[in-house]
Amino acid sequence: MGESAPPVTLGRRPKPREGRPSAPRPTVSRRREVSHASARSLLMTVLGEYTLPRDTPVWTSMLVEVLGILDIEEKSARQALARSAAEGWVVSERVGRRVRWSLTPPGRRLLTEGAERIYAFGREERPWNGQWLMLIVSVPEAKRDLRHRLRTRLTWAGFGSPVAGVWVSPDLSRQREAQQIVNELGLDAQAMSFTATYGEVGEQETMVARSWDLTELKDRYEDFIDRFTGLHPTGGRAVLRAQTELVHEWRRFPFLDPQLPAELLPAKWSGTKAAELFHHKHVDWRPEAQQYWDDIVAAEEAG
């Protein structure tokens, strides 16, 4: 994860009480990842940024305090914790009259994968040899739910659709993921894939414009740049807030940006500037934000 990411250590999950059913396997929702800030989504950012690198449980009061710094009311913070526990991300342990929380092994694994994606995103420009992966898969109009699930999962995987039933990606390594998606949706018998260069009929730029809404993505990147460029927090509390909001906003882009090669992007692509800004700010703010978290931990333990 490079300089901007803290080292990850494996944690221990407190033993569940006897008779308690095992927690479900956590899942990642693309809709939740790209939606506006909520108590539940901000809690995931806090857990990934501060709890994940440490091998210690966290008191309820501490999580409520940190979410309060982010303008989340106590009731909403506690509800977010309860939902996260029900979804299998965290597990509670009662110590006297207090409750503390630890990441479950599946929750730790998924947050680790998410952290690696967030911190690596935008760091490297991958070379492109001009090859396209094309997937053809048709779903009857009557099966609208299946069509929606296919579109959601292929979009999440970075595919674009220039015309109905056709999906394209400049990343040939996505073929295995595409195969998994159509298999799991029961569409493997109707699906076909090809790898090829773009031909002489039509314009490649037109296909890209039809496949991905780069204008909306550019606007999101520019909003990110406008929000954080001039932000210079002072004091541990303000820095922790700024750092958490920075990561929270940035974590959406891996789900929104298909990461097209530079040859297919508009000149002076704002995503490049946004990535530089994120990594610079994250490295700059991280020490003080992490120290403020540790100070809160110490105060909780002393109290």
Side-chain angles (χ1 to χ4, degrees):
M1 290 187 286
E3 187 178 0
S4 64
V8 174
T9 56
L10 294 178
R12 297 184 298 273
R13 177 182 178 178
K15 294 181 179 179
R17 299 175 184 173
E18 292 184 5
R20 176 186 292 179
S22 59
R25 180 183 181 276
T27 58
V28 179
S29 165
R30 183 175 188 270
R31 179 178 296 178
R32 179 182 291 154
E33 291 293 334
V34 302
S35 63
H36 294 295
S38 66
R40 170 63 178 69
S41 61
L42 279 168
L43 174 61
M44 288 295 104
T45 301
V46 168
L47 292 174
E49 185 70 10
Y50 305 105
T51 303
L52 180 64
R54 295 166 171 83
D55 188 21
T56 54
V58 186
W59 297 108
T60 301
S61 55
M62 179 174 175
L63 290 171
V64 168
E65 179 180 348
V66 171
L67 288 173
I69 294 173
L70 300 164
D71 298 328
I72 300 298
E73 295 181 354
E74 179 177 348
K75 180 180 178 181
S76 297
R78 292 181 180 274
Q79 289 174 342
L81 270 170
R83 292 193 190 102
S84 300
E87 293 175 1
W89 291 90
V90 293
V91 62
S92 65
E93 179 187 24
R94 183 168 291 280
V95 181
R97 300 180 62 182
R98 305 177 71 192
V99 174
R100 60 184 183 181
W101 301 84
S102 298
L103 294 170
T104 64
R108 177 172 288 278
R109 179 178 61 80
L110 287 175
L111 283 177
T112 299
E113 292 173 359
E116 290 171 351
R117 183 187 304 115
I118 292 166
Y119 299 131
F121 186 74
R123 277 196 175 280
E124 296 181 2
E125 183 179 309
R126 293 176 296 182
W128 186 52
N129 62 3
Q131 291 275 312
W132 286 93
L133 169 62
M134 180 170 66
L135 176 70
I136 300 176
V137 54
S138 60
V139 181
E141 180 66 31
K143 297 183 178 180
R144 292 187 177 181
D145 180 64
L146 183 58
R147 289 165 64 93
H148 173 73
R149 289 164 63 195
L150 177 68
R151 173 173 290 276
T152 298
R153 293 191 61 179
L154 288 176
T155 300
W156 192 346
F159 283 82
S161 179
V163 295
V166 177
W167 294 85
V168 294
S169 171
D171 185 354
L172 302 189
S173 69
R174 295 288 187 179
Q175 187 152 203
R176 180 175 296 180
E177 187 172 0
Q179 178 72 64
Q180 181 180 355
I181 290 170
V182 296
N183 285 350
E184 291 178 356
L185 295 179
L187 295 169
D188 47 311
Q190 297 101 298
M192 298 176 284
S193 66
F194 304 87
T195 58
T197 56
Y198 195 87
E200 297 181 1
V201 178
E203 297 292 334
Q204 184 168 250
E205 292 78 7
T206 302
M207 183 187 73
V208 171
R210 288 180 176 177
S211 302
W212 295 279
D213 189 348
L214 295 181
T215 299
E216 181 182 352
L217 181 59
K218 177 180 70 70
D219 290 343
R220 282 179 175 261
Y221 273 129
E222 291 181 354
D223 286 345
F224 179 88
I225 294 168
D226 291 343
R227 178 174 179 181
F228 292 102
T229 295
L231 189 58
H232 303 287
T234 57
R237 180 185 176 93
V239 173
L240 181 139
R241 174 173 177 144
Q243 178 81 326
T244 307
E245 291 178 343
L246 178 81
V247 174
H248 189 74
E249 292 299 318
W250 186 250
R251 61 180 267 199
R252 298 172 180 167
F253 287 109
F255 297 92
L256 294 168
D257 190 339
Q259 293 184 271
L260 300 179
E263 298 92 323
L264 302 176
L265 293 170
K268 298 181 179 179
W269 176 238
S270 54
T272 304
K273 183 177 180 180
E276 293 173 352
L277 176 65
F278 168 77
H279 293 293
H280 171 74
K281 292 287 189 181
H282 192 266
V283 169
D284 190 34
W285 291 341
R286 181 177 176 269
E288 192 167 359
Q290 295 288 332
Q291 183 59 56
Y292 191 75
W293 174 274
D294 289 335
D295 292 344
I296 300 176
V297 171
E300 286 287 335
E301 294 296 337

